[in-house]
Amino acid sequence: MKIGFTGRVATASAARPWLTIITWVIGLAVAILASGSIGDALVQEDRALVATESGTADDINKAVRGGDDVPEVETIIVTSDTYTFADASFQQVIEDTRVAFARLDGVSNVETPTAANPSRVSADQSTALLTATLSLDHPDGLGADLNSTAAGLQREGFDVYTYGIASGFAAYEKLGTEGLAKGELIGLSAAIVILLIVFGALVASGLPLLVALVSITAAVGATALVGQVFDLSFFVLNMITMMGLALGIDYSLVIVQRFREEMANGRSVRDAVAIAGNTASRAVLISGITVLISLAGLLIVPLSIMVSLGAGAVIVAVFSVMSALTLLPAVLQLLGTRVNKGKIPISHPSAEPRAWSALARGVMRRPVVGTVAGLGILLALGAPALSMRLTFPGTDALPDDMPFKQATQVLSADFGYGQASTLVVVENATGVSAKVEALAAHIEASGAFAETTLTWEQDVAFIETKDVYDAADIRAEDAIKELRSTTIPDYLSNTNARAYVTGDQASSIDFTSLNTEAAPRVALIVLGSSLVMLLVTFRSVTIAGTALALNVLSTGAAYGVLVAVFQYGWGA
């Protein structure tokens, strides 16, 4: 048998297994040391890498009003179903709340509504809003402190919530961290069960997990170094973990299984390693190259988060392939027949999978029926994707018992606005002040906005308002689009004034637009690279075309299922 590149790599790694393993251990030690700086290397801000309307508005706002020098404020909500603002019990809770929040490190001042100035009290007197001003140099953990302080002030008849950037980010971070840990635990547990079923041996089942862990560790260290030069979003860690588990397990699974099959057929350990390296490892290398080229498509999307996700996926894919092609053969050489240690009587490495074989034979006996049935299922699953709507999830998607969601519900019910805000920045506005004032009045009168204010800084006007609808509500998106395309031109066309709209919903629209505009180019890179690799590998237009068609169909089905579950709510 002719030994190819991957077979030679596997043979060389297995010839000096301890040298190979020691080299990897040294590399992992360096990666672990480097990963200690990962916190300083990653950023929390997501930004567009090209000019957008919301980005332009934010830049003007920061330049004129000094965005970094304006202290953050937190709204503290005190609400009751039993008492009203005028009651002594309600006043006592407000005072206790003020004192508790004023003690926090990073809170410079807490203002409370009074009988003489009740503007921050709901019409039915059941809810009062306190305003906490944060110091410019407040500690990073203040958001969590704000939330825990509010939780400690809960008492019978009253609820206390926080609402603001610091507390909101801390709440989302806590939810995301807990959710990610739970999801990874479920996924890892499922992977272990599946590997045990496939391999039927504890040692063999542990090898794919070992490769995945090595790949993830090495990728995190490399990412920490890359993050010192380029801005990477902290979401890159999520991508590294998910892709590391997926690729590490997938790639090593086929190599280990082929090794065990050859061993079961009487091959020597060295021959089994060489054959597995020459066949299964070759498939891993081709798959890895295709994955790398495909993931590189994310790097052309002009959004920092997408570039970060692409970079993280590419980095962990490289280490997944490297560890599967070099470290795994060395470990298999040392284990030899011990790879089958800890046998579980549910499978045999050389046994034919009867259920799958029966299914394959049945399809091959009736290929037309199988083709029509498969196409029908995939097309049916993909149909919901035709009505896909891209947006950021709103508070409706949050757990009902999450205090941040409850805070937004109280603000919406008692004060008429939701979680988001919108800012209209108007340049060269002095000469058309009357029209700017009329624009602000029109925005306030619309049903989509509330609590609109107009302020002036030199020649720039700032119209700030609260969004009434939830971020995921189509009406919130439509309101911003109408504001940009119709309302502002109606008031400011044929003038020298230029208006830019920013805010949560406006930024979401710009984010989605950049994604959708880049999608065709990304698809072209993914499909084109896949086609080239398939043609080079199989030298068959038919096989390459069939694989590409199945790729598109399966991807469409995945999108359809996502829309059905998350947009339609099926199976929620």
Side-chain angles (χ1 to χ4, degrees):
M1 181 180 67
K2 183 180 179 181
I3 302 297
F5 170 73
T6 56
R8 293 195 297 272
V9 170
T11 302
S13 300
R16 298 178 178 81
W18 283 114
L19 177 61
T20 303
I21 292 173
I22 291 172
T23 302
W24 272 99
V25 169
I26 294 173
L28 289 178
V30 174
I32 292 171
L33 288 174
S35 63
S37 62
I38 191 73
D40 298 328
L42 305 181
V43 298
Q44 295 176 346
E45 297 83 8
D46 300 323
R47 56 188 177 83
L49 303 178
V50 296
T52 62
E53 180 174 340
S54 57
T56 300
D58 291 334
D59 291 341
I60 296 172
N61 182 38
K62 182 177 180 180
V64 175
R65 300 201 292 188
D68 292 338
D69 298 327
V70 177
E72 293 181 28
V73 295
E74 286 277 336
T75 298
I76 305 166
I77 304 166
V78 178
T79 184
S80 174
D81 293 332
T82 307
Y83 302 95
T84 63
F85 178 70
D87 294 332
S89 298
F90 203 117
Q91 290 296 319
Q92 185 60 53
V93 171
I94 288 177
E95 178 59 19
D96 293 344
T97 301
R98 184 193 68 79
V99 171
F101 280 94
R103 290 173 178 165
L104 294 178
D105 180 25
V107 176
S108 59
N109 183 46
V110 180
E111 297 179 1
T112 63
T114 62
N117 183 23
S119 60
R120 303 285 280 173
V121 180
S122 62
D124 63 0
Q125 302 283 295
S126 66
T127 303
L129 305 182
L130 288 71
T131 302
T133 303
L134 311 186
S135 58
L136 293 175
D137 58 346
H138 64 77
D140 293 336
L142 180 57
D145 293 339
L146 291 167
N147 292 333
S148 61
T149 300
L153 290 167
Q154 304 294 328
R155 63 186 69 179
E156 186 176 355
F158 291 92
D159 289 307
V160 180
Y161 305 113
T162 53
Y163 178 85
I165 295 176
S167 61
F169 181 82
Y172 274 99
E173 185 178 41
K174 181 173 182 283
L175 181 67
T177 301
E178 294 174 351
L180 180 62
K182 182 179 179 181
E184 289 177 348
L185 179 61
I186 294 173
L188 189 59
S189 301
I192 291 173
V193 171
I194 293 171
L195 290 171
L196 288 173
I197 294 174
V198 170
F199 289 129
L202 293 175
V203 173
S205 301
L207 293 179
L209 297 177
L210 171 66
V211 171
L213 181 61
V214 167
S215 304
I216 292 170
T217 304
V220 171
T223 301
L225 298 177
V226 174
Q228 303 296 331
V229 182
F230 303 100
D231 286 342
L232 295 176
S233 168
F234 68 96
F235 282 115
V236 71
L237 295 177
N238 300 42
M239 176 62 82
I240 288 174
T241 303
M242 291 186 291
M243 289 295 292
L245 284 173
L247 296 178
I249 291 175
D250 186 33
Y251 291 163
S252 55
L253 188 152
V254 294
I255 296 175
V256 173
Q257 185 68 352
R258 184 58 190 268
F259 172 80
R260 295 175 77 225
E261 289 173 354
E262 295 301 326
M263 290 286 291
N265 291 331
R267 302 280 189 180
S268 66
V269 174
R270 185 174 295 275
D271 287 344
V273 169
I275 293 172
N278 201 49
T279 54
S281 293
R282 180 173 181 268
V284 166
L285 179 61
I286 293 170
S287 172
I289 293 173
T290 306
V291 168
L292 286 171
I293 297 173
S294 300
L295 291 171
L298 290 174
L299 301 179
I300 69 171
V301 182
L303 293 163
S304 62
I305 185 172
M306 302 304 291
V307 172
S308 298
L309 293 177
V314 166
I315 291 171
V316 78
V318 168
F319 284 108
S320 296
V321 173
M322 289 175 59
S323 58
L325 266 58
T326 60
L327 177 62
L328 188 55
V331 175
L332 290 174
Q333 177 66 40
L334 292 176
L335 287 175
T337 57
R338 288 173 293 181
V339 73
N340 294 319
K341 283 281 188 180
K343 284 187 177 180
I344 301 172
I346 54 178
S347 68
H348 189 275
S350 62
E352 182 180 89
R354 288 176 294 179
W356 293 112
S357 296
L359 176 62
R361 292 191 187 98
V363 170
M364 288 189 289
R365 280 195 301 268
R366 298 178 178 83
V368 175
V369 174
T371 300
V372 172
L375 282 174
I377 293 172
L378 290 172
L379 291 174
L381 291 174
L386 297 174
S387 58
M388 179 187 294
R389 175 174 172 260
L390 300 176
T391 187
F392 285 102
T395 53
D396 286 345
L398 298 175
D400 291 336
D401 60 350
M402 185 176 178
F404 185 79
K405 179 176 182 177
Q406 295 167 345
T408 60
Q409 290 172 335
V410 171
L411 290 173
S412 177
D414 292 350
F415 294 91
Y417 59 86
Q419 64 166 330
S421 60
T422 293
L423 172 66
V424 181
V425 178
V426 186
E427 288 187 301
N428 303 321
T430 305
V432 290
S433 58
K435 290 187 176 183
V436 172
E437 291 172 0
L439 172 62
H442 180 98
I443 292 173
E444 173 64 18
S446 72
F449 304 102
E451 294 194 359
T452 305
T453 61
L454 171 62
T455 57
W456 294 82
E457 293 288 343
Q458 303 170 9
D459 196 31
V460 183
F462 297 90
I463 304 173
E464 298 175 87
T465 188
K466 300 286 187 181
D467 296 6
V468 170
Y469 302 118
D470 185 76
D473 194 320
I474 186 65
R475 293 175 295 180
E477 183 177 327
D478 290 342
I480 297 297
K481 290 181 176 178
E482 181 181 358
L483 185 61
R484 284 175 165 178
S485 63
T486 304
T487 305
I488 290 176
D490 284 347
Y491 284 90
L492 300 181
S493 60
N494 301 321
T495 71
N496 291 326
R498 291 292 178 268
Y500 306 93
V501 181
T502 187
D504 301 322
Q505 189 60 240
S507 298
S508 174
I509 292 172
D510 292 342
F511 181 96
T512 301
S513 295
L514 291 177
N515 263 315
T516 53
E517 289 169 3
R521 299 194 298 275
V522 174
L524 182 62
I525 291 175
V526 173
L527 297 178
S529 63
S530 300
L531 179 61
V532 171
M533 289 302 300
L534 288 167
L535 288 172
V536 170
T537 303
F538 297 107
R539 295 178 175 84
S540 169
V541 175
T542 302
I543 293 177
T546 301
L548 207 63
L550 292 175
N551 193 348
V552 172
L553 285 169
S554 60
T555 301
Y559 277 127
V561 171
L562 286 172
V563 172
V565 173
F566 291 98
Q567 190 169 317
Y568 296 170
W570 295 356

